[in-house]
Amino acid sequence: MKYPRLALLFTFAMAVRGAEPTTLRDAFGKRELQCELTSSAPDRMTLAITNSSAEAVSVAIPAGTMAVGAEGTSPLVALQSATLLIVAGKTAEALLPAAVISSKSPPPGKVLHVSDAIEPRLDPLLKRLAGQQDLPRATAQFAVFCLLEDIKFSEWQKYLAARRGPKASAETHPTADEVALAIDVLGLLREVAPERMFALTSDAELKFRALRNPVCRAKAMQLFGINGTGDASEFGLPNVSQLLHTKPGDNCPICRAREQMQKGASDF
């Protein structure tokens, strides 16, 4: 279904002067408003509203709004708030960033219905995301799973593999970008829920891979409380000085290679 270009009016402020926006739940109950809520992917919801009344109407969609689909599927949660303006006799559409709330259930499908359910454990994250349009959807999704299910890095990998489909190899190793994303999520969790101890904090696999990833190594060292010269054995990892060059003569690959070259030269 195509909508008139001029009718796609989307604003984050009150759109109708002097009038309070109608809530999304109330909008679905109004005869003069024909509402359609759909999802083409687990990270977005599309709201289309046709206004058959003689006056413009604004509809508020709060962050945290939940939507459900087919039975047995995971609900979706809107990650940011918005207000949609629908001109009299026109149709307006809003694309809402969203996340599924369960890593163990399939996505809800295309047709959605507004739910009365709320998830207060996501409130700190939603406040952090308010007005932030550039946060990667995958980062937000992983953070939602951590807040609700406290998943490990390996469980996140299983979720990604399931989304890739049955042709994806079970032996696929995490990419450097996926490791860096997990470290970003850990940093985000430290911001929004500093009092909680998440599984990612003591995830040995994530630490092991992050310290070998030049993109996120410095941030990982900070988050895991590892300095450049300290003993990392308490984390089940080799000393950081064995992984990167921190000072002349340390036991890093560069110094070990130089030592071997010098030893070879002395044999002649």
Side-chain angles (χ1 to χ4, degrees):
M1 181 177 182
K2 295 183 178 180
Y3 302 101
R5 185 179 182 87
L6 294 179
L8 302 183
L9 303 177
F10 184 51
T11 176
F12 290 94
M14 183 179 294
V16 180
R17 182 176 300 176
E20 288 293 329
T22 299
T23 65
L24 184 58
R25 165 58 67 183
D26 290 342
F28 271 84
K30 289 182 178 293
R31 181 177 301 179
E32 65 273 18
L33 299 178
Q34 291 76 51
C35 304
E36 184 182 60
L37 188 62
T38 59
S39 174
S40 58
D43 63 355
R44 66 182 67 95
M45 293 189 287
T46 302
L47 174 65
I49 302 179
T50 300
N51 179 12
S52 60
S53 72
E55 298 180 351
V57 177
S58 63
V59 176
I61 307 101
T65 297
M66 304 278 281
V68 295
E71 185 177 353
T73 61
S74 173
L76 283 176
V77 58
L79 296 176
Q80 292 179 325
S81 61
T83 301
L84 184 64
L85 172 64
I86 312 100
V87 178
K90 299 294 184 178
T91 298
E93 184 181 79
L95 185 63
L96 308 171
V100 294
I101 67 170
S102 172
S103 65
K104 301 173 177 62
S105 301
K110 184 175 182 180
V111 179
L112 300 175
H113 305 280
V114 178
S115 170
D116 290 327
I118 58 174
E119 184 45 80
R121 290 176 293 177
L122 294 179
D123 287 350
L125 176 64
L126 298 178
K127 291 178 181 178
R128 173 66 173 77
L129 299 181
Q132 185 174 345
Q133 303 295 316
D134 58 348
L135 185 75
R137 302 284 178 82
T139 303
Q141 179 63 82
F142 195 177
V144 167
F145 287 158
C146 289
L147 288 167
L148 300 183
E149 302 177 352
D150 197 18
I151 68 172
K152 297 181 180 180
F153 183 61
S154 59
E155 294 169 325
W156 170 247
Q157 290 297 301
K158 290 179 181 178
Y159 171 80
L160 294 179
R163 288 196 59 187
R164 295 185 188 109
K167 294 183 179 180
S169 172
E171 301 299 326
T172 300
H173 295 293
T175 66
D177 287 343
E178 289 170 352
V179 174
L181 182 146
I183 293 301
D184 287 342
V185 170
L186 183 55
L188 181 59
L189 294 173
R190 291 282 179 86
E191 288 186 46
V192 302
E195 74 287 351
R196 287 185 58 180
M197 182 63 69
F198 292 92
L200 284 185
T201 305
S202 57
D203 194 315
E205 179 188 2
L206 178 58
K207 293 175 186 176
F208 184 83
R209 294 184 181 279
L211 289 177
R212 285 160 173 76
N213 186 338
V215 175
C216 63
R217 180 183 295 144
K219 186 174 182 179
M221 290 172 64
Q222 180 182 12
L223 289 171
F224 293 134
I226 305 173
N227 59 44
T229 58
D231 182 9
S233 60
E234 61 178 304
F235 299 96
L237 297 171
N239 190 289
V240 177
S241 64
Q242 297 178 19
L243 308 178
L244 66 155
H245 187 69
T246 58
K247 64 182 184 301
D250 63 15
N251 191 26
C252 73
I254 295 175
C255 293
R256 290 197 296 271
R258 182 181 295 119
E259 182 181 355
Q260 289 296 325
M261 291 176 61
Q262 293 173 345
K263 181 178 179 182
S266 66
D267 291 338
F268 289 96

